Amino acid sequence: MSPEFTRRHWLKLIAAATATGCDTVVVNVENKSTFTADGIPPITETDEFYVYQCCGAPSFEAADWSCAIRIRGTEVATLTADLFDTLTPVELEHTLQCIGGNPRNPLINNAVWGGVPFREVLDLLGVDVPPESIDIRFEGADAYHTGVPVSDLVQEKLWIVWQLNGGPLPFEHGAPCRFLVQGRYGTKNVKWPVDIDFMDENYLGFWETTGWSDDATYRQNGFILQPTDGSLVFGPEVDIFGTAYAGEDPVTQVEISFDDGQSWQNTEIYYNPGPNIWTLWRYRLAADVGDVAVQIRVTTASGLVSQGPDGTGQSAGYDGGMSVRFEVRS
Amino acid sequence: MIALLLGSAIAGPWTRTAGSHYVKGSADYYNTTKYVLPDEDPALGATGDFGTTGFFGHQYSLYGEVGLSKKHPVQISARAPLTISYVDFEDENAIRRVTGTAYTVRLGDLELMPQVALSRKHPIAAALAVKLPLYGVDSICADSVYKDFCGRPGDAQVDLTPWVLAGGSFAQGKGWVEGQVGYRHRTEWFRDWTTDRKFVDSVVFGGTLGGQFGSTIGMIRVDGNKNFKRDAFTLESVRVGPQAMFTVWEGLAIEARAAWDVWAMNTSIGFGFGAGLSWRTL
């Protein structure tokens, strides 16, 4: 049992023996991200950007990569990496969040991607999307598959990217290219695409058939990335910081509560460029020695407000305002 | 879920009559570093991503059997434990690596088991075990991000298990063997646990080979259960170990036992040992 177990913890345990019981979680934290005294860097370093793979990393030679483009199953064009050499990538700052992310595993990062709206690529390849098409079926080289509404293509929310933070897209992020879908969780952002099919019906993919949201529109949520729940911190001042995000719905306010939601104070929002990019906030607490419980609340431009710390219904994405408890020592 | 497995309320097939009783207070310890899951079959929902690196638990329990009738052997047995668990865990994601320990203190499952002799000549009995959780799961580590790592005394579900028990003695009564088999029905009545899990019924079994050596009784005990259907969360296990009872004075005895999980699924696999003080009518 490596974390420090204090007399206070023992007293709690002994008291618990009499009635309803009690629990304590004590943690040691090793941060991997480059948090600074000012908080979270707005742009996540490439090697710190989260990676989630449902089905393992695929194995293929980069020179052999190609992606078939089909209409109702019939191949009408082939996308190869040569095309990217002829295009000038446009920088797109964009936040990705995993639909399965939660307070324990807050999978969210922000980066500058290089690519173009996928509609431009289809125009170059001479692909005419039939007006009756409803969904685009994407399949990756890892056999992951999902569907994205054609309307996202039309509205240029669907991008194909081959650069990340000014460098080539790393393999673990989908090289030679991947898709970004503005406003939708990572489940819709396919990596290593090898097959794209325009379908006349809605398509349910790998996760959607197991109950995860097909719409996958970002929900309003907020994470506290520091301090970590259960950790020990040293006063007299404690810097609390984290993220807030709601996809295309800009975050307008992040509040913090130290009394279980009875009263709220505004945090300092220090990065809030707009839709599809995360909001970063911080709060400097002048803390007395002892236990501190913190909860946050996120409000968006459309008036949506985050739910309680547990959120409601993980299958559509976390929609809570996270809470943490930590101990302050002098 | 990690449940403390040592101990059960199962009584032997020699059903007590009025005036006969047995009571015991005991402390048990359990240690493991491994949690067993089915092969990573997505159809079962198993991910293998539990992250627990060690589990150590104490369990303090009171157990009793008392005969209820002079006319026919009828008894009731009961067991109530207090569990204290320590779960060491690692949790790693893109932004941090966390190592921690989750400490949990809870009352466990109250087990009640009325039993009636089926024969006056032979040690054959029938019983109905009722497991009543004295805890809720939703309240365990409710405020912690790491609630999934907190030890739970059990599955917070009411179980009903009809048993048949039989046994016999040999070597002029110096040795005996007994066995029990039952059908554990998972009722889906949960106490304070918001879950859509549907646990699987199982066959439960136990057996003892024992002998008396002077004032000491030695036993080898096996307990286990096998589910009727494989899933990703209903525990299954087989546990074997020695037990001993050292008579100190009249009916007062010191008891000791150890047990190894020789097979397990959807639960921890490890080693436990315990000691207790008991009083029985002779």
Side-chain angles (χ1 to χ4, degrees):
Chain A
M1 286 169 279
S2 50
E4 187 173 1
F5 196 62
T6 65
R7 188 176 64 176
R8 184 174 56 89
H9 296 125
W10 280 113
L11 290 173
K12 281 185 177 179
L13 290 180
I14 292 167
T18 57
T20 58
C22 81
D23 5 81
T24 303
V25 179
V26 183
V27 302
N28 288 331
V29 181
E30 178 187 326
N31 280 325
K32 295 158 73 176
S33 295
T34 49
F35 293 160
T36 68
D38 293 330
I40 303 158
I43 303 298
T44 307
E45 298 284 342
T46 298
D47 60 359
E48 292 180 1
F49 205 104
Y50 83 84
V51 174
Y52 186 85
Q53 295 168 177
C54 74
C55 320
S59 176
F60 62 86
E61 294 294 327
D64 297 335
W65 177 83
S66 66
C67 177
I69 299 174
R70 305 174 193 276
I71 293 176
R72 297 185 208 97
T74 302
E75 185 169 344
V76 295
T78 303
L79 177 62
T80 61
D82 299 342
L83 185 71
F84 303 135
D85 297 333
T86 68
L87 293 169
T88 302
V90 177
E91 287 194 342
L92 175 72
E93 185 175 346
H94 180 85
T95 295
L96 266 182
Q97 184 175 1
C98 178
I99 197 168
N102 55 52
R104 201 187 102 198
N105 201 11
L107 297 178
I108 182 170
N109 285 118
N110 184 56
V112 177
W113 309 80
V116 295
F118 187 50
R119 188 175 179 177
E120 293 183 15
V121 170
L122 293 177
D123 288 344
L124 283 172
L125 294 173
V127 176
D128 291 322
V129 178
E132 58 270 28
S133 291
I134 293 174
D135 244 13
I136 313 171
R137 178 191 184 275
F138 290 90
E139 182 174 334
D142 57 347
Y144 178 73
H145 51 101
T146 189
V148 174
V150 170
S151 57
D152 285 359
L153 173 81
V154 174
Q155 295 170 36
E156 297 198 346
K157 295 178 181 178
L158 176 64
W159 281 55
I160 186 168
V161 298
W162 56 93
Q163 289 186 349
L164 176 56
N165 288 335
L169 188 71
F171 181 78
E172 63 269 25
H173 288 290
C177 66
R178 72 171 299 166
F179 285 92
L180 296 181
V181 187
Q182 293 177 347
R184 300 189 197 275
Y185 280 105
T187 48
K188 299 294 181 181
N189 296 244
V190 172
K191 299 188 283 190
W192 313 289
V194 293
D195 199 283
I196 297 169
D197 194 1
F198 289 86
M199 305 176 69
D200 294 350
E201 57 189 5
N202 185 51
Y203 180 77
L204 295 179
F206 180 88
W207 287 118
E208 294 87 346
T209 51
T210 62
W212 291 87
S213 170
D214 180 36
D215 179 61
T217 300
Y218 282 115
R219 302 170 86 189
Q220 68 285 3
N221 67 84
F223 292 130
I224 300 169
L225 297 190
Q226 193 158 294
T228 304
D229 188 59
S231 63
L232 174 66
V233 297
F234 292 90
E237 292 183 326
V238 177
D239 290 314
I240 304 168
F241 50 76
T243 67
Y245 192 46
E248 295 180 299
D249 194 1
V251 170
T252 54
Q253 189 177 32
V254 181
E255 297 164 286
I256 193 165
S257 173
F258 299 95
D259 54 9
D260 199 25
Q262 298 299 308
S263 62
W264 296 91
Q265 304 169 49
N266 279 327
T267 65
E268 177 197 354
I269 290 178
Y270 68 92
Y271 192 71
N272 188 27
N276 302 309
I277 301 172
W278 66 6
T279 294
L280 302 177
W281 57 269
R282 63 191 165 208
Y283 186 91
R284 177 158 287 179
L285 173 68
D288 294 328
V289 171
D291 291 336
V292 177
V294 180
Q295 181 181 344
I296 59 166
R297 183 168 71 181
V298 175
T299 304
T300 72
S302 71
L304 294 174
V305 179
S306 60
Q307 304 296 310
D310 288 337
T312 58
Q314 179 74 59
S315 63
Y318 177 67
D319 66 346
M322 182 175 165
S323 66
V324 298
R325 291 168 182 266
F326 53 88
E327 182 187 352
V328 179
R329 289 192 194 171
S330 59
Chain B
M1 177 186 304
I2 297 173
L4 289 168
L5 294 176
L6 265 183
S8 69
I10 192 74
W14 288 272
T15 309
R16 296 178 185 278
T17 53
S20 173
H21 62 267
Y22 168 77
V23 292
K24 181 173 71 170
S26 59
D28 292 295
Y29 302 84
Y30 182 73
N31 191 39
T32 181
T33 57
K34 187 178 181 185
Y35 193 98
V36 184
L37 286 168
D39 292 340
E40 294 188 21
D41 180 351
L44 295 178
T47 65
D49 184 24
F50 276 74
T52 51
T53 56
F55 174 84
F56 179 67
H58 318 205
Q59 186 166 261
Y60 302 93
S61 56
L62 292 173
Y63 174 77
E65 301 170 5
V66 60
L68 300 175
S69 169
K70 288 186 176 178
K71 293 181 180 177
H72 187 82
V74 176
Q75 72 175 40
I76 188 164
S77 58
R79 177 173 177 271
L82 173 73
T83 65
I84 302 174
S85 68
Y86 307 72
V87 179
D88 290 334
F89 64 87
E90 288 181 6
D91 192 50
E92 187 166 3
N93 56 45
I95 64 165
R96 63 171 74 101
R97 176 177 179 273
V98 170
T99 55
T101 302
Y103 306 83
T104 308
V105 180
R106 283 291 185 283
L107 292 172
D109 288 310
L110 172 65
E111 296 175 87
L112 297 171
M113 186 169 168
Q115 177 174 322
V116 59
L118 299 179
S119 167
R120 283 186 172 275
K121 291 184 178 178
H122 305 289
I124 303 172
L128 176 66
V130 181
K131 189 193 80 176
L132 299 168
L134 301 177
Y135 54 91
V137 169
D138 283 344
S139 63
I140 296 176
C141 294
D143 296 326
S144 175
V145 166
Y146 301 102
K147 65 183 74 173
D148 290 346
F149 294 118
C150 290
R152 301 169 189 163
D155 54 27
Q157 188 181 51
V158 175
D159 293 346
L160 301 174
T161 309
W163 286 90
V164 175
L165 310 90
S169 60
F170 54 90
Q172 290 80 48
K174 296 287 188 183
W176 79 95
V177 63
E178 65 179 68
Q180 305 91 24
V181 64
Y183 178 93
R184 177 180 293 162
H185 173 59
R186 318 301 300 254
T187 63
E188 306 300 333
W189 299 335
F190 289 101
R191 177 176 174 188
D192 182 27
W193 192 14
T194 309
T195 179
D196 56 3
R197 290 184 174 182
K198 293 187 181 302
F199 288 96
V200 176
D201 290 358
S202 61
V203 58
V204 288
F205 52 88
T208 304
L209 175 65
Q212 184 156 9
F213 310 94
S215 60
T216 300
I217 294 172
M219 293 165 277
I220 295 290
R221 175 79 189 168
V222 58
D223 288 286
N225 76 298
K226 184 76 183 77
N227 297 337
F228 290 109
K229 181 182 170 187
R230 174 64 57 83
D231 68 8
F233 39 81
T234 308
L235 68 84
E236 302 174 272
S237 68
V238 178
R239 164 169 286 203
V240 179
Q243 300 182 4
M245 177 185 283
F246 307 98
T247 300
V248 177
W249 173 74
E250 294 192 346
L252 186 67
I254 295 172
E255 299 191 23
R257 59 179 171 174
W260 289 262
D261 295 315
V262 294
W263 177 81
M265 189 61 66
N266 294 326
T267 187
S268 53
I269 185 165
F271 166 75
F273 61 94
L277 193 64
S278 67
W279 173 261
R280 69 188 190 281
T281 50
L282 298 176

